[in-house]
Amino acid sequence: MMDCPRVVPGAEPLAISSPGSFLPPYRTVVGVLLHFCVYFIAILYRDESKAGKLDIPTRCELNCCKDGPVRNGHIGQRPPSIHPERLKDFGEEDYLNGGVKTWEMKLTTPNEELLRDSVSHPDRISQPTYNKFIRFEDISAAAFKIQCGVQKTLCTYSRLSKQYGMDLYLKKEFLQYTGTVKERGVLYLLMSLEQDQQRKGVIVASDSNFSMAVAYHSSQHQIPVFVIMPTSTLPARIKMCREYGAMVISYGSTARDSQLHARRLAQENGYLYLEEEDSAVYLSGLGTMGLEIYEQVPKLDAVIFPAGPHCGLLAGSAAALKHLNTQISVIGVESEGFPVLQQSLKFGYPIEEPSHAKCQFYKDVGGPCFGTNSLQLTGKFVDKVVSVREEDILISMLRLLEYERATVDAEGAIGLAAIIAGKLPELKGKRVAVAVCSGNLELPLMRQCIDRALTLDNRVCKFSILLPDCPQDISKLLEILAREEARVLDIKQEHLYKTSDLFTSEVTCIAETRDKFHTAQLKNALLDRYPVMTWMER
């Protein structure tokens, strides 16, 4: 029996309506729910996509261990990150241009105009196109990206400070894995390439420090690398480049032949032809050294960099230093034999370097000619450019070897050479940092440089004396040298048959002394005993 509604006497009847009259239609409810679900799924998918992009490790992060050693260095701890205040404006704009991932870069300080390089290089094959703008944030970005792949080298107080009357701090970039500061620009350049180009590989035609850095960092990032070197390259350098992981090919008798062969291979096989130039990416990587110097040496008054035909290190570091402190003096030093930078600044455009700048001693001091970008940066931010003699560079190499136990080449020693030569008297009593940026000196050349430097420093002397052909006379000469505390390096006896006296011989001796005062003392002692002695000046 079904229940019937109970009727209460005296009560007013209630209006009974269907439940659906208070609700929206069923089809409307389903549509709203579907729209809400689709919107929720879209929001969730977008968040996951962003998180996935952020979680993808970069090549630099893959090569770094949080607690392990850096792969290309000898320091067990990871270098500290760039200070957050300098990264507050950091922003990276990725876009594809010619198959290469690039960063839009410009270098500006307050009330300064953007610098543009209007020089194009149509003859370059497979060369990536980089925007010719650079700014301080780009240098900071480069420092952030390459911090896992290069060493944050020491900038220590030098024992030479008292000798030259200033507080000297040496930035020891020769402690990089390949012994050169160019690792900074090369690594950032390679990390800026698109993955497709990294799979195809890169090619370089040079036997300089730049090619060594390209060989090492390309192999570390699993990028195929080919290095074309002239047949006149020293075997030790070829061996070292192969040990870094590059495929080395000896071709041509000159650097020009090697470059043409490399360009042809790049065009035929899709390799990226790299050469040392003043692109914004390369300059930003080199400029990271200026950031480190500013962090490591407080209250800095001046910084000295090598200059020359390629002044990328000078230009990039000067831009960073001047942005951080406009009161810091930035000084460039180049060889007196080919003052290319000084002449270019004078005429307002890059000039060609002389042919003798290609010699082995000046290989990395010379290098390829810079472009308008580096020249404009140098003219705007560099306070002074001085030139030094070859003799000053050799003595600087000797000082670094004796006082700092550092074996450097001409590029690494040219900065200190300006102080040794007395070209910067205004720095007396100030705090000065010097970039010692290269230590790739071949053994045969090192011997020649050290011997020549000792002679220039008045610490090796040569003289000849006519003595009777008798053992006792030679013994007396050796006694004088021993009494004067001179070290005999070489002694030779030769009979002069053209003289009238058949019993006379000429004794030629090479001796080493402590300094020029000791040399003068030895000379006076020999003249007292042998008035007809021949003293051979340097």
Side-chain angles (χ1 to χ4, degrees):
M1 181 177 179
M2 296 181 60
D3 295 333
C4 295
R6 180 178 302 177
V7 179
V8 179
E12 296 181 1
L14 296 174
I16 301 175
S17 61
S18 62
S21 61
F22 294 96
L23 298 175
Y26 178 79
R27 186 176 300 174
T28 305
V29 174
V30 173
V32 171
L33 292 176
L34 287 176
H35 280 80
F36 178 80
C37 292
V38 171
Y39 178 78
F40 178 79
I41 293 173
I43 295 296
L44 182 62
Y45 178 79
R46 185 177 62 180
D47 293 340
E48 288 179 354
S49 300
K50 290 183 178 181
K53 291 182 179 180
L54 295 176
D55 294 336
I56 295 176
T58 62
R59 288 186 177 270
C60 179
E61 294 170 348
L62 290 174
N63 290 336
C64 292
C65 299
K66 293 183 178 180
D67 299 324
V70 179
R71 292 187 63 179
N72 76 323
H74 308 285
I75 298 178
Q77 296 181 352
R78 178 176 174 177
S81 302
I82 303 302
H83 196 277
E85 291 183 1
R86 294 194 287 105
L87 293 176
K88 60 184 179 180
D89 297 327
F90 167 74
E92 183 181 72
E93 299 179 6
D94 299 345
Y95 63 96
L96 297 180
N97 185 8
V100 178
K101 182 179 179 182
T102 61
W103 285 264
E104 184 179 358
M105 295 187 174
K106 55 187 177 179
L107 174 57
T108 57
T109 53
N111 301 325
E112 291 182 347
E113 296 181 354
L114 297 177
L115 303 178
R116 182 188 300 270
D117 186 359
S118 59
V119 176
S120 61
H121 304 279
D123 59 329
R124 292 178 183 171
I125 298 175
S126 302
Q127 187 70 13
T129 303
Y130 300 107
N131 289 340
K132 299 298 182 179
F133 297 119
I134 179 175
R135 59 183 181 181
F136 174 77
E137 287 76 10
D138 303 313
I139 301 175
S140 297
F144 183 79
K145 276 185 170 286
I146 69 174
Q147 61 181 335
C148 299
V150 298
Q151 291 292 337
K152 185 174 183 179
T153 55
L154 301 175
C155 189
T156 57
Y157 183 79
S158 175
R159 295 168 53 199
L160 293 166
S161 299
K162 295 181 180 179
Q163 186 172 346
Y164 296 104
M166 62 186 73
D167 291 337
L168 283 177
Y169 291 84
L170 302 182
K171 180 61 173 174
K172 301 179 179 179
E173 282 295 301
F174 62 91
L175 296 178
Q176 296 289 353
Y177 191 85
T178 61
T180 174
V181 68
K182 295 176 182 179
E183 282 193 26
R184 297 176 178 271
V186 166
L187 179 57
Y188 194 44
L189 189 64
L190 294 174
M191 295 177 68
S192 302
L193 302 180
E194 195 184 51
Q195 291 186 359
D196 181 63
Q197 186 60 63
Q198 292 180 358
R199 286 191 296 267
K200 292 180 180 179
V202 297
I203 188 169
V204 61
S206 172
D207 60 346
S208 63
N209 290 339
F210 179 79
S211 63
M212 295 295 170
V214 172
Y216 174 73
H217 285 288
S218 296
S219 62
Q220 289 296 301
H221 287 75
Q222 290 79 45
I223 302 175
V225 55
F226 303 88
V227 179
I228 313 299
M229 292 185 176
T231 55
S232 58
T233 304
L234 293 177
R237 185 162 285 247
I238 296 177
K239 177 184 177 183
M240 185 65 67
C241 194
R242 284 174 177 163
E243 290 178 351
Y244 288 150
M247 173 67 71
V248 181
I249 302 174
S250 296
Y251 183 90
S253 57
T254 63
R256 179 64 176 172
D257 296 336
S258 300
Q259 292 171 2
L260 293 176
H261 185 60
R263 294 175 189 271
R264 183 166 55 253
L265 292 177
Q267 188 176 29
E268 294 174 355
N269 301 279
Y271 306 140
L272 176 64
Y273 179 74
L274 294 178
E275 61 181 339
E276 192 171 7
E277 59 171 5
D278 66 340
S279 65
V281 177
Y282 186 66
L283 293 181
S284 298
L286 292 176
T288 59
M289 193 181 76
L291 298 183
E292 291 187 4
I293 293 177
Y294 184 82
E295 290 178 348
Q296 293 171 322
V297 184
K299 300 179 181 180
L300 195 60
D301 294 313
V303 186
I304 304 175
F305 295 97
H310 186 81
C311 57
L313 175 65
L314 173 65
S317 298
L321 288 168
K322 286 296 186 178
H323 179 91
L324 294 168
N325 186 354
T326 58
Q327 301 301 318
I328 297 177
S329 298
V330 180
I331 302 171
V333 185
E334 61 182 350
S335 174
E336 195 176 78
F338 44 99
V340 181
L341 180 56
Q342 289 177 313
Q343 296 180 12
S344 299
L345 291 173
K346 178 180 178 181
F347 294 111
Y349 58 87
I351 65 172
E352 293 294 330
E353 61 178 330
S355 59
H356 68 272
K358 297 289 186 180
C359 70
Q360 186 178 5
F361 183 69
Y362 293 110
K363 177 164 47 182
D364 287 288
V365 175
C369 286
F370 49 82
T372 306
N373 197 22
S374 296
L375 185 62
Q376 289 180 346
L377 290 173
T378 302
K380 181 174 291 290
F381 296 109
V382 176
D383 299 283
K384 187 176 183 181
V385 178
V386 299
S387 58
V388 294
R389 303 173 303 164
E390 179 180 301
E391 291 82 356
D392 301 323
I393 300 176
L394 290 171
I395 294 178
S396 176
M397 295 169 63
L398 181 62
R399 295 288 186 270
L400 289 171
L401 179 61
E402 289 183 321
Y403 286 85
E404 299 294 333
R405 300 298 184 263
T407 304
V408 301
D409 53 18
E411 184 184 14
I414 195 170
L416 182 63
I419 296 176
I420 293 177
K423 294 297 184 70
L424 302 171
E426 68 274 12
L427 299 182
K428 292 287 186 179
K430 295 186 178 181
R431 180 167 292 191
V432 182
V434 180
V436 185
C437 57
S438 177
N440 291 318
L441 185 64
E442 285 78 9
L443 185 59
L445 182 59
M446 180 180 67
R447 294 171 179 168
Q448 300 177 26
C449 292
I450 296 304
D451 291 341
R452 177 63 175 162
L454 288 171
T455 304
L456 293 170
D457 203 28
N458 294 301
R459 292 164 57 180
V460 173
C461 55
K462 183 178 181 181
F463 58 88
S464 61
I465 303 174
L466 291 177
L467 295 177
D469 192 6
C470 180
Q472 289 81 1
D473 292 287
I474 298 180
S475 178
K476 292 179 181 178
L477 172 62
L478 295 176
E479 290 178 359
I480 296 175
L481 295 175
R483 185 173 64 249
E484 297 297 330
E485 299 180 350
R487 178 171 174 258
V488 178
L489 300 178
D490 187 22
I491 188 168
K492 180 176 64 174
Q493 183 181 14
E494 182 179 1
H495 293 278
L496 302 178
Y497 297 104
K498 296 181 180 181
T499 61
S500 58
D501 191 353
L502 298 178
F503 302 101
T504 301
S505 63
E506 182 181 40
V507 177
T508 303
C509 181
I510 300 177
E512 181 182 0
T513 57
R514 293 186 297 271
D515 48 36
K516 61 181 182 180
F517 303 106
H518 189 199
T519 301
Q521 179 181 341
L522 174 63
K523 181 179 180 180
N524 294 332
L526 291 173
L527 286 175
D528 292 340
R529 181 67 177 81
Y530 307 103
V532 293
M533 178 192 67
T534 302
W535 189 269
M536 300 179 185
E537 300 292 341
R538 64 175 184 177

